[in-house]
Amino acid sequence: MTLTELRYIVALAQEGNFSRAAEFCSVSQPTLSVAIARLEDEFGVQLFERGKGFVSPSAVGHKVVEQAKRALGEAEKVRQVAMLGRDQLEGPLRLGVIHTIGPYLLPQLIHSLKVVAPAMPLAIEENMTATLADMLHDNEVDVVIIALPFDVPGVLTRAIYDESFKVVVPRGHPWESREWIAPEDVAGDEVLLLKAGNCFRDQVLGACPQVSSPETDVRLGHSIGTIRCMVASGLGVSVLPDSALGHPYSNDMISVIPFKEPAPARRVALAWRPGFVRPKAIEALLDAVRGLRSPAYRLLV
Amino acid sequence: MTLTELRYIVALAQEGNFSRAAEFCSVSQPTLSVAIARLEDEFGVQLFERGKGFVSPSAVGHKVVEQAKRALGEAEKVRQVAMLGRDQLEGPLRLGVIHTIGPYLLPQLIHSLKVVAPAMPLAIEENMTATLADMLHDNEVDVVIIALPFDVPGVLTRAIYDESFKVVVPRGHPWESREWIAPEDVAGDEVLLLKAGNCFRDQVLGACPQVSSPETDVRLGHSIGTIRCMVASGLGVSVLPDSALGHPYSNDMISVIPFKEPAPARRVALAWRPGFVRPKAIEALLDAVRGLRSPAYRLLV
DNA sequence: TCTTACTATAGGGAATAGCTATAGTCGCTA
DNA sequence: TAGCGACTATAGCTATTCCCTATAGTAAGA
């Protein structure tokens, strides 16, 4: 049984005549004749009654033809479903992003993406780097935005921008009047950090080796927002990425002081599986990155 | 697009691996590989993402596969409708049956069925009720034998027999000399049960409310056979269906004691889709049930 | 670096679906 | 009843398709 044979029996039932049915199917009459006979032989049932001057479906044949129409309809839908999916920029893209990037980058990125891929909404998964690596590998997200290094075997990465770190102190802090601060100056235990697992925490510890890894929970924040509040309330100072400090996140309880050049920074990248079937979606994301306007992002694309 | 190609993509989605999918379809791996590529080319869409160690449908591919399943199902119905015009008692019947019935009922049932429908072999799928419900719905089996209640929308059921529960104790157990046992007597944590998911477990818990739902794995068996062995080894007592206790399953390590009348029982039924094209096959099954001779089955047909 | 597991490609052979030509069948008409 | 017209079935051939084996390519793990 083939789809072609099903088309033949439907046509024959419709035309009531081998020759016309053959013409309808754009094949020769013997072709159709043989195909019908073959199908009847396969089923072991006579589907059509050949009378004088007419061909009409048998009782079984009638039911078979009706069912064949349904089957052909469903088969045609397969093609339609496939055709609908041809545009790689249509349909949701599953994007993973780390906590210290998502809330600051995504509002702008989504805005920018709407221009280049208006029919591609983002399904966003915010999590930590290690979890996102697993999700990428397990095909639970399509693309992730993380800070380098991101050494996951079998994954492609592309750096999209660099972002400086800045020192954040409460209003009235002795450092407030300084023009810059050297990484070595950031030291001791009044430095507030993210909890373990956040890659940004490790980057700060790498950039400022004098910072002691804290023992108490008091100095650890769950998110950059929390850290900001803790700084504002006078608990200590901290180091935060540039993008987390811009409008509308500024307030007048904290002061932001740049590092001495070359300032510590992190490199942010896209990552995806090499076999990902929508490369144009990646390109669209890169285009959207190119559309970013904030000076916090030193674009690499 | 051909039906064969649709079968290939369904198999590939199911197996997640070209080689296994090819084996499943009884073709060589290159054949399947080429066919998939051809179909993707025809549709102009990548249906599968080839990664290292995995092959998974793309977003489009997933939808296409789902639709392909429907199309294949309808196409298969064409064949079934055609077969309906032949002898409905010819050709394999796909029968699903739960674990706690299959091994005990089927040997007799098949024997009995050979008389009324010698040309209708059974393709047997043994599984748990919930899985069988899905398989029935998805047209992966034609008929199932389960214990009531079986409330699946769009499915017809017909009770075929009742079957009592009996208490099983190891030789030497204090209950061995009793003529009967009340359901309330079966209590505490020395009662061995099937693991969760088996409907018979829930029926026992319903019939004997004093049985505590066990916390440890020690008291849980994978099958009735396992439970019998655990009872025989002295781990505890249990409640089993009558049919699982007859010859040739008896041994002299356990004793079987009936419940006090009215003994707890389960009602076993056939279930099938209302549109199933071989109603005579159902009738033949019922006839086969009527031919059962074991006293464990209190026939309802 | 070698091995292993997997997918893609190449090339050839068998099956098949299509074609044209023609035979067979039935009813009608001369 | 012979011939004709309208139709379907059969025969014989060809081009295509389908599937096979063998092998190359590739990435990950030992």
Side-chain angles (χ1 to χ4, degrees):
Chain A
M1 178 179 55
T2 69
L3 288 174
T4 307
E5 287 165 350
L6 296 187
R7 275 188 277 271
Y8 289 168
I9 62 172
V10 170
L12 182 55
Q14 213 162 54
E15 301 291 333
N17 173 303
F18 277 75
S19 307
R20 280 200 302 278
E23 190 179 3
F24 181 85
C25 296
S26 309
V27 295
S28 70
Q29 170 265 313
T31 295
L32 193 127
S33 203
V34 167
I36 301 283
R38 182 174 53 232
L39 198 60
E40 287 181 326
D41 186 54
E42 177 181 342
F43 288 165
V45 176
Q46 188 147 351
L47 299 174
F48 292 92
E49 181 181 339
R50 283 87 157 160
K52 27 212 148 286
F54 72 92
V55 175
S56 72
S58 66
V60 197
H62 185 72
K63 289 188 210 155
V64 169
V65 167
E66 289 308 305
Q67 182 57 40
K69 283 182 190 168
R70 278 191 284 277
L72 288 171
E74 293 298 320
E76 196 43 46
K77 277 197 207 162
V78 174
R79 172 172 270 109
Q80 289 175 2
V81 167
M83 291 308 175
L84 281 181
R86 290 181 79 155
D87 185 358
Q88 294 185 18
L89 300 186
E90 194 173 294
L93 184 73
R94 299 172 302 171
L95 173 70
V97 61
I98 55 176
H99 296 298
T100 56
I101 293 181
Y104 313 106
L105 171 65
L106 288 186
Q108 298 175 62
L109 189 71
I110 287 170
H111 190 263
S112 181
L113 189 64
K114 269 271 176 290
V115 179
V116 294
M120 187 172 74
L122 295 181
I124 293 161
E125 170 71 30
E126 193 181 301
N127 220 309
M128 293 193 293
T129 302
T131 306
L132 292 177
D134 288 342
M135 295 185 75
L136 188 62
H137 179 268
D138 297 345
N139 193 10
E140 292 171 15
V141 293
D142 299 319
V143 196
V144 298
I145 298 179
I146 36 67
L148 295 180
F150 186 66
D151 292 322
V152 179
V155 158
L156 297 178
T157 61
R158 166 116 183 226
I160 52 176
Y161 63 79
D162 285 334
E163 171 180 37
S164 299
F165 299 164
K166 292 227 160 78
V167 179
V168 188
V169 302
R171 274 287 149 92
H173 191 276
W175 287 356
E176 198 171 8
S177 58
R178 292 176 61 168
E179 270 187 44
W180 49 257
I181 291 170
E184 306 79 52
D185 296 343
V186 182
D189 60 4
E190 71 157 359
V191 181
L192 310 180
L193 289 175
L194 285 173
K195 300 210 180 211
N198 286 90
C199 64
F200 182 68
R201 167 203 166 96
D202 303 324
Q203 286 152 10
V204 170
L205 287 172
C208 310
Q210 311 289 335
V211 173
S212 64
S213 211
E215 303 87 36
T216 72
D217 272 339
V218 175
R219 287 175 49 217
L220 297 176
H222 270 104
S223 71
I224 288 186
T226 311
I227 299 268
R228 284 173 58 92
C229 293
M230 289 158 70
V231 170
S233 72
L235 192 65
V237 306
S238 190
V239 174
L240 295 181
D242 206 354
S243 63
L245 299 168
H247 204 74
Y249 299 98
S250 61
N251 63 42
D252 47 25
M253 305 284 289
I254 61 172
S255 285
V256 177
I257 305 144
F259 273 104
K260 176 173 131 186
E261 291 296 331
R266 65 176 174 180
R267 178 155 287 181
V268 172
L270 288 188
W272 64 95
R273 297 179 299 278
F276 180 49
V277 295
R278 294 168 71 189
K280 286 181 185 165
I282 309 282
E283 283 305 318
L285 268 185
L286 291 173
D287 279 340
V289 169
R290 288 182 192 107
L292 294 177
R293 287 290 160 257
S294 162
Y297 306 118
R298 297 202 302 278
L299 298 187
L300 301 170
V301 287
Chain B
M1 176 179 58
T2 68
L3 288 175
T4 306
E5 285 165 349
L6 296 187
R7 274 187 277 271
Y8 288 169
I9 61 172
V10 170
L12 182 55
Q14 208 164 57
E15 300 291 333
N17 174 303
F18 278 75
S19 308
R20 279 199 303 277
E23 189 179 4
F24 182 85
C25 296
S26 307
V27 296
S28 71
Q29 170 266 313
T31 295
L32 192 126
S33 203
V34 168
I36 301 281
R38 184 175 52 232
L39 197 61
E40 287 181 328
D41 188 54
E42 178 183 339
F43 288 164
V45 178
Q46 190 154 356
L47 299 175
F48 292 91
E49 178 176 334
R50 284 87 156 160
K52 36 228 127 274
F54 74 94
V55 174
S56 71
S58 64
V60 199
H62 186 71
K63 288 189 213 155
V64 169
V65 166
E66 288 307 305
Q67 182 58 38
K69 283 184 190 168
R70 277 190 284 278
L72 288 171
E74 293 299 320
E76 196 44 46
K77 275 197 203 165
V78 174
R79 171 172 271 109
Q80 289 181 357
V81 167
M83 294 305 175
L84 182 66
R86 304 174 66 186
D87 185 357
Q88 294 184 22
L89 301 186
E90 193 173 297
L93 184 72
R94 298 172 304 172
L95 173 70
V97 62
I98 56 176
H99 296 299
T100 55
I101 292 182
Y104 313 105
L105 172 64
L106 289 185
Q108 298 175 61
L109 189 71
I110 287 169
H111 191 262
S112 183
L113 189 64
K114 268 273 177 287
V115 180
V116 294
M120 187 172 74
L122 294 182
I124 292 159
E125 170 71 30
E126 191 179 304
N127 220 309
M128 292 192 294
T129 303
T131 307
L132 292 177
D134 289 342
M135 295 185 74
L136 188 62
H137 179 268
D138 297 346
N139 192 14
E140 292 171 14
V141 293
D142 299 319
V143 196
V144 297
I145 299 179
I146 37 66
L148 295 180
F150 186 66
D151 292 322
V152 179
V155 157
L156 297 179
T157 61
R158 166 117 184 225
I160 52 177
Y161 63 80
D162 285 334
E163 170 179 35
S164 300
F165 299 165
K166 292 226 160 80
V167 179
V168 187
V169 301
R171 275 287 148 93
H173 191 275
W175 286 358
E176 199 171 9
S177 57
R178 293 177 60 168
E179 271 188 40
W180 49 256
I181 291 170
E184 306 79 54
D185 295 343
V186 181
D189 59 4
E190 74 157 357
V191 181
L192 309 179
L193 288 174
L194 283 173
K195 301 213 178 209
N198 286 89
C199 64
F200 182 67
R201 167 203 167 93
D202 303 325
Q203 287 153 10
V204 170
L205 287 172
C208 309
Q210 311 288 336
V211 173
S212 63
S213 211
E215 304 88 35
T216 71
D217 273 340
V218 175
R219 287 177 49 218
L220 297 176
H222 270 104
S223 71
I224 287 186
T226 312
I227 299 269
R228 286 174 56 94
C229 294
M230 288 159 70
V231 170
S233 73
L235 192 66
V237 306
S238 190
V239 173
L240 295 180
D242 206 354
S243 64
L245 300 169
H247 205 74
Y249 298 99
S250 61
N251 63 42
D252 48 22
M253 305 285 289
I254 61 173
S255 286
V256 177
I257 305 143
F259 274 104
K260 178 173 130 187
E261 291 297 332
R266 64 176 175 181
R267 177 155 289 180
V268 173
L270 289 187
W272 64 95
R273 296 179 300 279
F276 180 50
V277 294
R278 295 168 72 187
K280 286 182 184 164
I282 308 282
E283 283 305 319
L285 269 184
L286 291 173
D287 278 342
V289 169
R290 288 184 193 105
L292 294 177
R293 288 288 162 257
S294 162
Y297 306 118
R298 296 203 302 279
L299 298 187
L300 301 170
V301 287

